Amino acid sequence: MRILLVEDDRDLQRLLKKALSDAGYVVDTAGDGEEGHFLGDTEPYDAVILDLGLPKLDGVRVLEKWRKDGRKMPVLILTARDRWSDKVAGFDAGADDYLAKPFYTEELLARVRALLRRAAGFATSEIEIGPLQIDTRASRVTMDGNPVKLTSLEYRLLAYLAHHRGKVVSRTELVEHLYDQDFDRDSNTIEVFVGRLRKKLDPNLIQTVRGLGYCLEVPGASDRAEA
Ligand code: CA
């Protein structure tokens, strides 16, 4: 999952980038409203954390512009403005959540998890797809109740496919959501990681859709996935 963090306070930006990266997300950062708007407009993000008081372009304006242009990614506003009228303005501009500074990093991470799973149609932080269980709080995976040890990239790949279960996800999309901008993006490596996941989990869990990409689905699992 790839997250855009728009925050002009350099110390806070550094702290949050580390916390989000440690939690397994790919994080791009922007230090002003114009750069933030540009990135959100041109790169595919699974969620955005947006400060309101930003140089060059105010956060509410950034959000309004994205929504006007049809950008639908979940957006969490993070701001020192905590008057009720500021919150209303934020939600009316298209925000999905709002967190006032100061805040606990744990609460921010929990809200990000909630945004991502809601966007994917899951109600809790435990994702269950047939015999596969993913605890998105602890980044832990079990198969038929047995713990499976995954590297961080294998986990990110599995979590992304699980959040898009039943849909075909292209290699390009995976590369865009699993690696940050600076990474040497080679879509061939995705195939290697898919192979490893099949070996560790189940050979049939991730289907290759020729010419299109990959799809995670377990026969008869769709009814349980909504639980
Ligand atoms: Ca600020």
Side-chain angles (χ1 to χ4, degrees), residues 21-142:
S21 304
D22 288 349
Y25 301 112
V26 176
V27 186
D28 292 342
T29 54
D32 65 65
E34 272 178 13
E35 189 192 3
H37 174 262
F38 174 77
L39 284 174
D41 211 30
T42 50
E43 297 284 327
Y45 292 104
D46 299 294
V48 177
I49 299 168
L50 179 66
D51 182 25
L52 288 191
L54 291 167
K56 294 186 184 174
L57 193 60
D58 185 79
V60 171
R61 285 288 300 134
V62 171
L63 184 53
E64 279 171 353
K65 277 162 71 99
W66 281 336
R67 295 311 193 215
K68 195 170 143 272
D69 293 333
R71 308 270 173 263
K72 293 200 175 95
M73 64 285 196
V75 173
L76 183 153
I77 284 179
L78 191 64
T79 179
R81 301 178 197 165
D82 64 350
R83 288 177 310 175
W84 69 266
S85 52
D86 289 322
K87 294 181 186 172
V88 169
F91 281 115
D92 282 346
D96 300 276
D97 200 1
Y98 199 107
L99 189 57
K101 297 174 185 172
F103 58 90
Y104 286 97
T105 308
E106 273 309 316
E107 181 176 354
L108 176 72
L109 292 174
R111 286 176 183 271
V112 168
R113 284 195 297 273
L115 282 181
L116 292 171
R117 73 170 178 254
R118 249 181 264 137
F122 292 108
T124 70
S125 57
E126 288 265 350
I127 293 178
E128 202 175 310
I129 303 174
L132 173 70
Q133 262 192 326
I134 305 175
D135 178 350
T136 58
R137 274 178 65 196
S139 308
R140 268 199 291 263
V141 174
T142 60

